[in-house]
Every structure is written in C-alpha cells, then in structure tokens.
Amino acid sequence: MNPFIKFVSRFMSLTEKDNSLLENELKYKTFNAGENILLVGSICKNIMFIVNGKARSFFINHEGQDYTWNLNFNDTHSKFENYFLVDYNSFLSQTPTFLTIQALENIEVMVLSYDSIQKITAMSISLEKLAGKMSEKAYQNIHKRAFTLLTLNAKERYLQLLKDEPYLLNKFQHYLIASYLGVAPQSLSRLRKEIIKS
C-alpha cells in the first residue's frame, strides 16, 4: 500500500475509489542532504509526506538567529507534525512562507499539490472530510508549539521535551535540539547539567 494512503487510513476509512483518486495525484520525489525543499519568501504549493529521511523547518528572526520550528522524520516515534514537510499557513492561504525547510539527510517524500487537493476534495466528500480532519490536527499542533515557545521558559521547555519527546535527543544533533528549544547550544548544555545534578 502507498505509505501516505496507509497513514491517512488512521484517520478515516476510504473507499477504493477514494484511494484511487488520492493515489493518482500523489507524486514521488527525492531531495539530497542539505537541499532546501522550501525557501522563505516562496509559496508553499505542496504537502510532502516523509517516506524516509530527516528534515527540519526553521526561521531566522530579526536578530539573525536561527530557530527550528519543527523536526521531521518517519519512524515509530513520529507524531502527526513530524511526518509532513509543509508550512500550513502558506499552503492554505497561498501566500509567502516565513519558513525554510531543509533536508538533513537524503529524503524521500510523497507529494500532494494544492491544486490536487482542490481537485480531489471537490470530487469526494470523504476526501473533503479527511482534508478537514488533517487541517484541524495541524492547527492543534501549531497552536501547541507556539504556546510552548511563548509561555514556558527554557528549562520548562527542556523538561517538556524530556517528558514528551526524549527520543529526539538521539535522533538529532545537539545544536538542532537547542534551536528547537529556542536556546543557544551552550545554554542547553548548562540546562542538561543542571537537571542531572538536581
């Protein structure tokens, strides 16, 4: 079974006709390590589902600091937000993105374009419902991520990561974890030592 169709079956049972509609619009694509998949200022025209490999989405603030917005991968630890390479705001509004998405290693993805989604959701009520459910899930994840960054201090964010996503520490380099938490690498090292001592 197509890996993306297998994934969406978790959210809704689709008919063979719906699966066929979806599969006909999906494209397979690869990117090399270090390649930019989406560039800041461009319009996000595709949702990409990771089959293999790792990537990250990040933005640069007004002081030139690099912040990792999300870490992307597909394995047994993946949550909804990890599977997809997309800026949902740019994708849904078809306006320029503030994010850059970069492959951290060679990566394989299944691609579904904005136009394809408009086409298949117009042809199937089930696929329209599926798109709605996935949009709701994406909104919840974006809200949670923004709320965490805005309301928790660095130590609280690190403790939450240890509670909710400890496996990230073994999957991604130290500087990426620091960037994901919104702290400098040196600050993350201090936090880890402080927590180990306590």
Coordinates of all heavy atoms in Angstrom, one line a residue, residues 2 15 35 61 92 116 150 166 176 185 191 194 198:
N2 N 0.4 2.3 -0.7 CA 1.1 3.5 -0.7 C 1.3 4.0 0.7 O 0.3 4.0 1.5 CB 0.3 4.5 -1.6 CG 0.9 5.9 -1.6 OD1 1.0 6.6 -0.6 ND2 1.2 6.3 -2.8
T15 N -12.9 4.5 0.5 CA -13.3 3.5 -0.4 C -12.1 3.3 -1.5 O -11.2 4.1 -1.5 CB -14.5 4.0 -1.2 OG1 -14.2 5.2 -2.0 CG2 -15.7 4.3 -0.2
E35 N 19.8 20.0 0.9 CA 19.0 20.7 -0.1 C 17.8 21.4 0.5 O 17.1 20.9 1.4 CB 18.4 19.7 -1.1 CG 17.8 20.3 -2.4 CD 17.5 19.3 -3.4 OE1 17.9 18.1 -3.3 OE2 16.7 19.7 -4.4
N61 N 15.1 35.0 12.9 CA 14.4 36.1 13.5 C 15.1 37.5 13.1 O 16.1 37.5 12.3 CB 14.3 36.0 15.0 CG 15.6 36.2 15.7 OD1 16.6 36.5 15.2 ND2 15.6 36.0 17.0
L92 N -2.3 26.9 2.9 CA -3.8 27.2 2.9 C -4.1 28.5 2.3 O -5.2 28.7 1.6 CB -4.3 27.0 4.3 CG -4.3 25.6 4.9 CD1 -4.7 25.7 6.4 CD2 -5.2 24.6 4.1
S116 N -4.1 19.7 -6.6 CA -4.6 18.3 -6.5 C -5.6 18.2 -5.4 O -6.6 17.5 -5.5 CB -3.4 17.3 -6.3 OG -2.6 17.2 -7.5
L150 N 6.0 30.5 23.7 CA 5.6 31.8 24.3 C 5.4 31.8 25.8 O 5.6 32.8 26.4 CB 4.4 32.3 23.6 CG 4.5 32.7 22.1 CD1 3.2 33.0 21.5 CD2 5.4 34.0 22.0
P166 N 11.6 12.5 24.3 CA 13.0 12.3 24.7 C 13.8 11.6 23.6 O 15.0 11.9 23.5 CB 12.9 11.3 25.9 CG 11.6 10.6 25.8 CD 10.7 11.7 25.2
L176 N 20.7 21.3 16.9 CA 19.3 21.4 16.4 C 18.3 21.3 17.5 O 17.2 21.9 17.5 CB 19.1 20.2 15.4 CG 19.8 20.3 14.0 CD1 19.6 19.1 13.2 CD2 19.3 21.6 13.3
P185 N 23.2 26.6 22.0 CA 23.7 25.3 22.4 C 24.4 25.3 23.8 O 24.3 24.3 24.5 CB 24.8 25.0 21.3 CG 24.2 25.8 20.1 CD 23.6 27.0 20.7
L191 N 21.7 23.6 30.9 CA 20.4 23.0 31.4 C 20.5 21.5 31.7 O 20.0 21.1 32.7 CB 19.3 23.3 30.3 CG 18.6 24.6 30.3 CD1 17.7 24.7 29.1 CD2 17.8 24.8 31.6
E194 N 22.5 21.0 34.8 CA 21.7 21.4 36.0 C 20.6 20.4 36.4 O 20.4 20.1 37.5 CB 21.0 22.8 35.6 CG 20.1 23.3 36.7 CD 19.4 24.6 36.2 OE1 19.9 25.3 35.4 OE2 18.3 24.8 36.7
S198 N 20.3 17.9 39.8 CA 19.1 18.1 40.7 C 18.4 16.8 41.0 O 18.7 15.8 40.4 CB 18.2 19.1 40.1 OG 17.7 18.6 38.9

